[in-house]
Amino acid sequence: MNKKTNPLPLKTLAISIFLTFTASAYASNDHGSNHVENSHHDSNHGNSTSGGSESKLKSYLIAVNEPLAQGEVKLEQKTSKTEFSAEVKIPVPSTALNVADTTAATDATLTLVLRDNLGADYAECNVDLNKIKTVANRRVSILTAEYKVKITDRNGFLQANGGVCDIDLNASGIQSGVPMIQIGDTAEITIDTNGATIGTGSF
């Protein structure tokens, strides 16, 4: 005698297989999106790859020889561009930096050196004079010289807006580019008037 087969167990099994496959596929796609969103920095400071996320590293300089000196160094990475910049302000005159007047401030050369966490120099930038202006601070007017360097890489197109950076100190000549700062690196800015260190910072 033929028995009528109950279709319920087969239907239940099919639904179970479908749900298991769907859950597995969803978990796989979720893992992939996390990988894409995370940024990756190459250990070589001349290179960096990004998965589409944005990041920023910034350091405020600590004054060394001139107490009134100020500055900051930062690296911003976005989907469309990577931008490195540094800004330094010193009072004029400054006995500690051997800057007697605006002429000395104009002729001075400021150098920014970037070092990795082992203390090895990997990039050097010339920080150009941007402007000299009077800054009022707590009813006291201070003549200030401002210097800056700004290098932008837009999908391989390099643009400099003040200053220049050499990102390969082992090669002859200046290898212009954007210094790829990493956590643990340090920065030091000096002035050629007397070789004094203006400020240092860490990332």
Side-chain angles (χ1 to χ4, degrees):
M1 182 177 65
N2 294 330
K3 294 183 179 180
K4 185 178 293 185
T5 304
N6 187 353
L8 183 59
L10 292 177
K11 184 176 181 180
T12 303
L13 178 61
I15 293 174
S16 177
I17 293 174
F18 174 78
L19 291 176
T20 301
F21 177 80
T22 303
S24 176
Y26 177 82
S28 176
N29 289 336
D30 184 64
H31 175 74
S33 65
N34 286 338
H35 177 72
V36 170
E37 291 176 356
N38 290 333
S39 296
H40 168 71
H41 296 277
D42 195 287
S43 59
N44 182 348
H45 287 276
N47 300 293
S48 174
T49 57
S50 175
S53 60
E54 299 182 2
S55 64
K56 178 190 292 185
L57 279 176
K58 186 175 183 178
S59 175
Y60 291 100
L61 299 177
I62 299 174
V64 177
N65 287 289
E66 172 52 70
L68 296 179
Q70 299 178 350
E72 64 179 38
V73 182
K74 64 180 178 180
L75 175 70
E76 293 184 87
Q77 291 180 279
K78 298 182 179 181
T79 304
S80 59
K81 69 176 182 178
T82 299
E83 185 173 274
F84 169 84
S85 63
E87 184 178 279
V88 183
K89 299 177 182 179
I90 63 171
V92 179
S94 171
T95 303
L97 302 178
N98 194 27
V99 176
D101 49 30
T102 56
T103 300
T106 302
D107 294 339
T109 298
L110 272 64
T111 303
L112 165 64
V113 175
L114 295 169
R115 299 186 177 95
D116 61 23
N117 57 4
L118 297 178
D121 299 357
Y122 65 83
E124 186 174 295
C125 305
N126 289 334
V127 189
D128 291 348
L129 177 68
N130 182 35
K131 57 186 174 182
I132 297 177
K133 67 177 184 179
T134 301
V135 178
N137 184 15
R138 295 182 180 179
R139 299 181 182 179
V140 177
S141 295
I142 301 175
L143 190 61
T144 303
E146 297 183 2
Y147 304 81
K148 76 171 186 177
V149 56
K150 185 177 181 180
I151 312 294
T152 305
D153 186 338
R154 297 180 184 273
N155 298 319
F157 179 74
L158 204 63
Q159 180 181 4
N161 183 13
V164 63
C165 290
D166 184 355
I167 61 173
D168 189 352
L169 302 182
N170 294 320
S172 59
I174 297 177
Q175 309 301 312
S176 299
V178 175
M180 300 309 299
I181 302 170
Q182 296 188 30
I183 295 176
D185 292 352
T186 59
E188 179 183 19
I189 294 184
T190 58
I191 190 168
D192 70 337
T193 51
N194 60 356
T197 297
I198 297 175
T200 59
S202 58
F203 300 91

